[in-house]
Amino acid sequence: MVAPSLKLQDLIEEIRGAKTQAQEREVIQKECAHIRASFRDGDPVHRHRQLAKLLYVHMLGYPAHFGQMECLKLIASSRFTDKRVGYLGAMLLLDERHDAHLLITNSIKNDLSQGIQPVQGLALCTLSTMGSAEMCRDLAPEVEKLLLQPSPYVRKKAILTAVHMIRKVPELSSVFLPPCVHLLHERHHGILLGTITLITELCERSPAALKHFRKVVPQLVQILRTLVTTGYSTEHSISGVSDPFLQVEGHSSKTMTNISPLSSTQVATNTDTSRNAGNAVLFETVLTIMDIHSAAGLRVLAVNILGRFLLNSDRNIRYVALTSLLRLVQSDHSAVQRHRPTVVDCLQETDASLSRRALELSLALVNSSNVRAMMQELQAFLESCPPDLRADCASGILLAAERFAPTKRWHIDTILHVLTTAGTHVRDDAVANLTQLIGGAQELHAYSVRRLYNALAEDISQQPLVQVAAWCIGEYGDLLLEGNCEEIEPLQVDEEEVLALLEKVLQSHMSLPATRGYALTALMKLSTRLQGDNNRIRQVVSIYRSCLDVELQQRAVEYDTLFRKYDHMRAAILEKMPLVERDGPQADEEAKQSKEAAQLSEAAPAPTESQASQLLDLLDLLDRASGDAQHPPPLDPSPGGALVYLLDLPCAPPPPAPIPDLKVFEREGVQLNLSFIRPPENPALLLITITATNSSEGDVTNFICQAAVPKSLQLQLQAPSGNTVPARGGLPITQLFRILNPNKAPLRLKLRLTYNHFHQSVQEIFEVNNLPVESWQ
C-alpha cells in the first residue's frame, strides 16, 4: 500500500528525525513523488499545500523545478491563500534565466490594479525580487500609480519596487522622478526612508536627477535636524535613538553634498553613544564628512569620533574605527596622529583582524618625527605578534626604517633587530638591502661586523641574519680581529673562533644552500684577511668539491682552483667590495661633474688640419654631429697605418632614445599608464611598467591587472606593488611586465582590469594596438 502524503509539519518532523543522509533522501523522494502525482491530478484544493512542501524541500537543496508551473496557476487563482504561496514560490523558483517568469507579468499587472492591499503587497514584493528588465518596462506605469496611493503600506512597497526597477532599467528614472518631491512631505518614516533610497539611486544613475534634487537638499537637512533636535516618539525609537535608519540614510544620500556643518555637528553632539544604534548614526556621520568636501574642522570632528570608537568595548566598533582611520590617514595625517597612543594599544588585541588593522594603521602613522618611538613599539609587537602577522610587521618595519631612518647606525640596528627576531619572515630583498647599507657606511664597518658576529654566535637558525653576518665577516674580518671599537664593548676573538663559527654554519642542518654559499665565500675571503695559515680553509673548500648541491660544488671547485693555480691572483680577486652609493649626494656631484665635462668638451676649439689628419681615427670615437665632415680616404696598409688601425676602436653606439609613455585606460578618475624600457644589453627584452593612479573620491580596491600577448612573444608578469589605490591621488600601484620579442614582431597587448570602485565591481577588457614602434623594432 502506498503511504499517504504528509502534511507540511509532519514532513518537517520526519526530515529532522532522519538519522542519516540516506534516510533523509528517502523521505524526500517519497514525498516528491506524492507531490508530482498531486500536480498531475490537478487537485486545486490542496495545490498550495503541496507547493509549500516543495518549497521547504527546495530550501534544503533538493531539486524543485517541476513546481514552477504550479506557481503560475496559484498566482492566477482568486484565493488569497493560493496567491500567497504562489508568489512565494515564484520568488524562490523563478529568475531571469527562465522564460517562465514572463508568464506571470499579466497576473502581477492585474493584482496591482486591484484595490486589495495584501495582494498588491505580494505582487510588489515578487516584482522587486525577481523582476527582469522586460517586466520592469511593462509594469512601470502601474508602480508609478501606486506611489501616490493613500495606503502607506502599499506606497512603501511601491517605492522599494521602483528602486529595483531603476537598477534594472536606468532609463526609467524619468518615470519615477516627479513623485519623489511629493513623497518627501510624508510623515511616515518608512515612506521617507524608502524615498531617500529612491532619490539616491536616481542621483547615482542620472546626472539630470542629481541636478533636479539639489533643490531639495534644505528639505532633507530639515528632516535630519528634526530627528536630532526634537523629542522622539515611542514608535520610531530604537534604543533611545530617534529612527537611526532614517538618519543613516539621510547622511549616505548623494544629494546631501551641500549639507550644512551645523547639521553634522548636531548629529555628532546630540546622539547617544551608549547604544549601538547611536554609534551607527555617528559612523554614518563620519562617512558623510569623509565623502563630501567638508571643512577642516568637520574632518577633525570625524577623526575624534573615530578616536572615541577606539575606546569602545565592542570589537566590531573598534574594527570599524581602525578601518576608517586608515582611510583618513592620507588626507588628515595630523588629526589621526593625535590618537596614535590608542592605535598602538590596539596592537595587543587578541582578535587577529583587530591587531592586523592596528598594525596597518600604525605603519601608516610613522613619519620622520616619531620614527624612533614608533619603531620601539612595533619591534616590541614583532616579538610577541602571531605568526601570520610577523611577515607583514617585519616588512613594514623595514620599509619605514628605510624611508625615515635618522642615522645609518640606527637603520642598521633596526634591521638587525628585525632579522634577529623574525629573520625567516622578512622579504627576500632584506639581505641585499642590508649588505648594501653596511657597505656604503664605511665608518660603521667595524661596528657592524662585531654586532653581526655576536648575533651569529648566539643563533644560527635565522637564515637571512646568517647570510648577512657571513657576508660582513668575509668582507671586514680584519676589523673583527682588531678588537677596538668605541661603539660597543671590546670584543676579543681569534682567528680559530671565527673559522669555527663559519664551519658550524656550513655543517648545520638548518642552513640553506644559499647560506652555505655565503659562508664558503666568507671563508675564502678570510684567507686574504687573516694572518695565519690557510690550510684549514683549503681543507674545508676541498671537502665541498663533491657537494651534491651544484651551485655550492661549482663554487668550491673554482675556489680550490684559485688556491692551486692562481694563488698569486687570489688577494686581488678577493679584495673588499667597493662602496656603493644609492642616489646620494656623491652620485649627484659626479653627475654634475660629468655634465660640466661634457660642456667643456663641446666648447673646446677644433684641432688644426694637421692634427686632425694624424688623430682622425682617435677622434672618430665620438659621433659627429655635423653632416659636413669629410671621411678620409682609406689608409695604406703600411706599418704606420697598421698602428693607426689598432687605434681605430669601434664606435660606441649612441644610447637608445627614450620610449614615450602611453595612457591606455581612464574611467571615473582611475587611470592606467605604460612606460617602456629596452635594456641595451638585451634589445629583445622589453620592460613595461604599468602605473595605476586614482584621482577620484573613492578608493580602488582588489585591483588586478592581467595581460596577454601573441603566441610568438613570451610574457612574464611580476607581482604588483599592492591591490589598493587610495583616493585623491594616493600612492599608485605599479606592476612590471617582461616581454621577450626575439623576432621583433609587431607588439600587441591585451589587458583585463578587475577592481572595486564606489562599491561596484568593474571589469574592463581591451586591446592596446598603438604601442610605440620603438618598443618592438
Side-chain angles (χ1 to χ4, degrees), residues 463 467 505-506 508-521 544 547-553 555:
Q463 295 301 292
Q467 294 173 9
V505 173
L506 283 169
S508 174
H509 67 280
M510 295 182 292
S511 297
L512 299 173
T515 306
R516 290 191 174 94
Y518 275 95
L520 192 63
T521 302
Y544 283 89
C547 179
L548 294 179
D549 186 83
V550 177
E551 171 68 23
L552 201 58
Q553 181 189 107
R555 190 171 301 194

Side-chain angles (χ1 to χ4, degrees), residues 34 71 106 117 131 205 214 367 387 444 627 637 656 659 692 713:
H34 286 294
C71 295
N106 288 332
Q117 295 182 15
R205 285 164 173 78
R214 288 188 184 276
N367 56 24
L444 296 175
I659 305 175
L713 310 180

Side-chain angles (χ1 to χ4, degrees), residues 344-539:
V344 173
D345 291 340
C346 293
L347 289 172
Q348 306 304 325
E349 292 283 353
T350 56
D351 188 275
S353 58
L354 279 175
S355 56
R356 181 178 295 277
R357 277 289 180 264
L359 173 62
E360 295 174 356
L361 183 55
S362 299
L363 291 171
L365 289 175
V366 178
N367 56 24
S368 56
S369 60
N370 63 16
V371 62
R372 293 181 182 270
M374 287 297 295
M375 285 298 108
Q376 290 180 358
E377 298 287 351
L378 291 171
Q379 288 174 9
F381 173 69
L382 180 62
E383 296 176 357
S384 59
C385 71
D388 56 337
L389 288 180
R390 191 157 295 177
D392 295 336
C393 184
S395 299
I397 292 175
L398 294 180
L399 290 173
E402 183 177 1
R403 184 177 180 185
F404 301 109
T407 62
K408 287 186 177 181
R409 175 175 172 176
W410 180 91
H411 193 183
I412 292 173
D413 290 341
T414 302
I415 299 180
L416 288 181
H417 185 275
V418 173
L419 294 180
T420 306
T421 307
T424 56
H425 295 85
V426 299
R427 300 178 306 167
D428 296 336
D429 59 347
V431 175
N433 290 342
L434 182 54
T435 55
Q436 193 173 21
L437 177 63
I438 295 174
Q442 187 174 5
E443 69 280 3
L444 296 175
H445 287 172
Y447 171 77
S448 302
V449 71
R450 283 167 173 75
R451 284 288 311 274
L452 285 166
Y453 179 83
N454 290 331
L456 184 61
E458 294 177 1
D459 184 15
I460 63 171
S461 62
Q462 304 286 0
Q463 295 301 292
L465 175 66
V466 177
Q467 294 173 9
V468 177
W471 178 89
C472 200
I473 292 172
E475 289 294 326
Y476 314 116
D478 51 343
L479 301 177
L480 177 64
L481 299 177
E482 290 178 0
N484 53 355
C485 183
E486 299 178 357
E487 288 83 358
I488 59 177
E489 297 180 0
L491 177 66
Q492 298 297 330
V493 60
D494 56 21
E495 297 181 1
E496 295 298 324
E497 293 176 349
V498 177
L499 297 179
L501 182 58
L502 291 176
E503 290 180 15
K504 181 181 178 182
V505 173
L506 283 169
Q507 297 168 4
S508 174
H509 67 280
M510 295 182 292
S511 297
L512 299 173
T515 306
R516 290 191 174 94
Y518 275 95
L520 192 63
T521 302
L523 282 173
M524 194 64 187
K525 288 203 169 188
L526 286 178
S527 68
T528 63
R529 286 28 165 200
L530 304 182
Q531 304 298 327
D533 190 8
N534 291 327
N535 287 330
R536 182 174 180 176
I537 298 177
R538 296 185 64 174
Q539 292 175 1

Side-chain angles (χ1 to χ4, degrees), residues 32-84:
C32 285
H34 286 294
I35 294 173
R36 284 191 179 93
S38 177
F39 288 163
R40 285 195 302 270
D41 296 340
D43 183 6
V45 179
H46 300 97
R47 181 181 288 126
H48 68 280
R49 296 181 182 179
Q50 303 294 344
L51 184 60
K53 291 188 291 184
L54 185 61
L55 294 180
Y56 179 74
V57 171
H58 168 73
M59 288 187 290
L60 294 179
Y62 292 91
H65 57 278
F66 57 90
Q68 292 177 353
M69 299 307 298
E70 300 302 318
C71 295
L72 305 180
K73 296 177 182 178
L74 289 175
I75 291 174
S77 174
S78 59
R79 298 167 53 188
F80 178 75
T81 54
D82 290 345
K83 284 184 178 292
R84 182 177 58 182

Side-chain angles (χ1 to χ4, degrees), residues 301-317:
L301 174 64
V303 174
N304 291 337
I305 293 174
L306 296 175
R308 293 201 303 269
F309 281 0
L310 291 177
L311 302 175
N312 199 294
S313 58
D314 192 312
R315 292 181 178 179
N316 294 324
I317 295 178

